[in-house]
Amino acid sequence: MGVVSNAAYGLFGAAEELTVAQVKRQLDTNLLGSIGLIRAALPHLRKQGGGRVIQVSSEGGQMAYPNFSVYHATKWGIEGFVESVAQEVAPFGIEFTLAEPGPTPTNFAAGLDAAPAMDEYADTPSGGVRRALADGSFKLTGDPVRMVEIMIDSADQAPAPRRITLGSTAYESIHAALTDRLARLTAQKELAVSANLDA
């Protein structure tokens, strides 16, 4: 037996534009919903001697667009949760795969919970993303059918791939984000070591 966890929808708007209720609903659904499903499945997977959990995340679990701050918080959060839980349950033969699709023509955009725009953000990156979604210039390059096929195929791979990146946009955006983060980390090596007790 395996489990596919895909509790999610999109919340759109600059952080200042969102209501507290919108933020709570997003966290409850995308993060706590996925955590709850995984926790409920673990005893069953453990009793059967192992299994696979495919957690649908997003390219947004490793990079970020303006106007999706809380959505990204949920995806970065579930990726951290999976990284930890995967170590806890590996002795039971339970494996995890994080699926990270990029922009794809599905009903995701139609289901966005969008906050009203504040004029102050019109000429900022936030306003630019809002316009790109409205005029269709935000490119949706992924093939949803092929992505699902790849996720299904991943269930038979041994060992389970920890992540599968889906779509050229996802690959490029995640690669750029990780490259930048690694460069910034490397530049801080001396500073990091200086914080040791024996420095």
Side-chain angles (χ1 to χ4, degrees):
M1 181 181 100
V3 176
V4 176
S5 174
N6 189 25
Y9 70 95
L11 176 59
F12 182 79
E16 189 180 357
E17 295 170 342
L18 305 173
T19 67
V20 171
Q22 285 177 310
V23 171
K24 287 183 175 178
R25 189 165 53 245
Q26 177 88 141
L27 294 171
D28 284 345
T29 302
N30 292 20
L31 183 56
L32 297 182
S34 292
I35 289 173
L37 175 61
I38 289 169
R39 292 183 68 240
L42 290 178
H44 302 285
L45 296 173
R46 185 166 37 77
K47 286 176 185 175
Q48 74 178 11
R52 184 73 55 88
V53 178
I54 298 176
Q55 172 64 53
V56 180
S57 179
S58 163
E59 66 169 348
Q62 297 204 60
M63 51 76 66
Y65 293 107
N67 278 22
F68 286 97
S69 58
V70 181
Y71 176 81
H72 287 300
T74 66
K75 293 304 183 180
W76 286 60
I78 197 60
E79 294 217 2
F81 177 80
V82 165
E83 287 282 0
S84 179
V85 174
Q87 297 173 64
E88 297 166 3
V89 299
F92 306 122
I94 302 171
E95 296 182 291
F96 283 81
T97 295
L98 289 156
E100 299 175 329
T104 307
T106 63
N107 289 328
F108 180 83
L112 280 179
D113 181 6
M118 291 173 55
D119 291 341
E120 290 84 350
Y121 287 93
D123 296 322
T124 69
S126 173
V129 171
R130 189 178 288 275
R131 285 187 295 276
L133 285 181
D135 66 20
S137 61
F138 190 92
K139 300 296 182 186
L140 305 176
T141 57
D143 179 341
V145 174
R146 183 66 187 125
M147 289 182 178
V148 170
E149 291 172 347
I150 292 170
M151 284 188 240
I152 293 170
D153 290 344
S154 76
D156 293 324
Q157 295 179 30
R162 179 55 53 84
R163 286 176 171 79
I164 47 175
T165 303
L166 301 168
S168 60
T169 300
Y171 177 83
E172 291 163 6
S173 63
I174 292 172
H175 189 279
L178 293 178
T179 300
D180 179 66
R181 284 162 61 192
L182 183 58
R184 291 172 186 268
L185 174 64
T186 302
Q188 290 188 3
K189 181 178 180 181
E190 186 175 338
L191 175 66
V193 173
S194 74
N196 283 0
L197 283 170
D198 59 358

